[in-house]
Amino acid sequence: MERIDKVISVALNVSRNDAKSYIRKGLIAVNGKAVNNISVKVDEKKDVISFNGNPVQYDKFVYIMMNKPKGVISASEGRSEKTVVDILPQEMKRKNLFPAGRLDKDTTGFMLITDDGDFAHRILSPKNHIPKTYIAVLDKPFDANIVKAFEKGIELKNDVCMPAKIKALDEENRIAQVTIKQGMYHQIKRMFLKYSITVLELKRIKMGALELDDSLAEGECRYLSDSELQLIENGRLL
Ligand code: URA
């Protein structure tokens, strides 16, 4: 159950004060009956809420998959640089959205944007072992020693990497598919750099067991379903 003024504020993407004023003016109805008490509680799943006669769609939280383009940073709105939240289509924007995890400005691919802090924490915490998979284009080939070292878990300056998987996607070992379970700063670039290899291009293609929807062009996004969210969370079981 949630207070009606909060539901209206989130669903219509207006301030709490505006939501209260709509309620006081009798513009909001619950199950066909106008409400004018701003603190009335509604069941978001069952109650039918309308604004001026039009049904109001209310999702407590939203989960958006974006194919992040280069040149935007993984942050919320209000920064001097363009962020992944800035480039959401207007109709998907609502308060409190943030990217769940970081991709570098020049990294592309699967970015999850949500307003559900608990979910974000669950999928990002290294304790939960949820794998994130990337394709890295390298300036030099990697070899079997690197595969072994990544699988054992390498040390970077002040960080210890958990075991990571790596396999070649081409004959020359210059295109690597890498799976890691942490999200440390520049992690994949730093892992390769330890072996004097530069990552030229990086794209995230999977979170947990959910792959980036390849029908999304760079910069495009769509909502995720409950079963897709489960694929992310259950990825660690695979
Ligand atoms: N590792 C990196 O180096 N960069 C990213 O954006 C993600 C993982």
Side-chain angles (χ1 to χ4, degrees):
M1 301 286 275
E2 200 82 79
R3 268 176 65 133
I4 184 73
D5 56 344
K6 174 158 187 224
V7 170
I8 292 302
S9 152
V10 173
L12 300 181
N13 198 13
V14 295
S15 70
R16 198 77 169 244
N17 276 342
D18 282 347
K20 287 177 184 166
S21 130
Y22 296 160
I23 295 162
R24 292 198 181 103
K25 283 182 187 151
L27 296 172
I28 306 298
V30 177
N31 301 323
K33 259 185 151 181
V35 284
N36 41 33
N37 177 355
I38 54 164
S39 58
V40 129
K41 291 211 165 168
V42 289
D43 181 336
E44 322 84 81
K45 296 251 186 277
K46 290 195 198 130
D47 290 326
V48 178
I49 303 161
S50 60
F51 170 59
N52 231 349
N54 299 310
V56 166
Q57 179 65 29
Y58 176 70
D59 295 312
K60 194 163 186 181
F61 296 119
V62 293
Y63 308 86
I64 298 167
M65 172 195 279
M66 173 183 282
N67 183 0
K68 178 191 172 297
K70 285 187 186 183
V72 292
I73 59 166
S74 305
S76 310
E77 284 172 306
R79 303 293 182 101
S80 54
E81 290 189 88
K82 225 182 216 173
T83 72
V84 288
V85 174
D86 288 328
I87 64 166
L88 286 172
Q90 202 50 41
E91 68 277 9
M92 282 183 152
K93 287 194 181 174
R94 59 189 227 161
K95 276 187 233 137
N96 304 328
L97 287 175
F98 64 91
R102 269 177 309 191
L103 291 179
D104 297 336
K105 193 171 171 183
D106 61 353
T107 300
T108 59
F110 192 165
M111 182 92 250
L112 190 110
I113 298 164
T114 184
D115 47 2
D116 183 347
D118 288 342
F119 179 80
H121 179 71
R122 286 202 302 278
I123 64 163
L124 297 176
S125 169
K127 280 195 222 127
N128 286 334
H129 293 261
I130 295 185
K132 324 283 182 314
T133 302
Y134 296 80
I135 294 178
V137 179
L138 312 172
D139 71 337
K140 289 190 235 24
F142 66 91
D143 60 20
N145 287 333
I146 295 183
V147 176
K148 248 194 250 156
F150 276 21
E151 278 176 359
K152 218 168 134 220
I154 63 169
E155 267 183 46
L156 299 172
K157 239 184 193 166
N158 300 316
D159 298 309
V160 179
C161 297
M162 292 164 79
K165 281 199 185 129
I166 170 170
K167 72 172 187 192
L169 297 179
D170 66 338
E171 303 227 313
E172 288 166 65
N173 282 15
R174 278 197 45 214
I175 304 180
Q177 179 172 309
V178 187
T179 301
I180 57 176
K181 292 179 175 174
Q182 294 148 291
M184 294 187 307
Y185 185 64
H186 294 329
Q187 184 170 341
I188 291 184
K189 292 175 185 163
R190 286 162 61 217
M191 285 167 71
F192 280 107
L193 215 47
K194 180 167 175 147
Y195 300 92
S196 307
I197 296 176
T198 300
V199 173
L200 303 174
E201 297 277 338
L202 191 62
K203 177 177 186 174
R204 182 155 66 194
I205 55 162
K206 205 166 167 185
M207 295 182 81
L210 181 66
E211 288 182 17
L212 174 67
D213 181 340
D214 62 11
S215 71
L216 294 176
E218 282 185 16
E220 287 185 347
C221 45
R222 69 163 173 83
Y223 290 112
L224 292 176
S225 65
D226 288 348
S227 59
E228 288 177 318
L229 296 177
Q230 272 174 22
L231 278 177
I232 298 178
E233 282 212 71
N234 295 339
R236 65 182 175 279
L237 304 175
L238 298 175

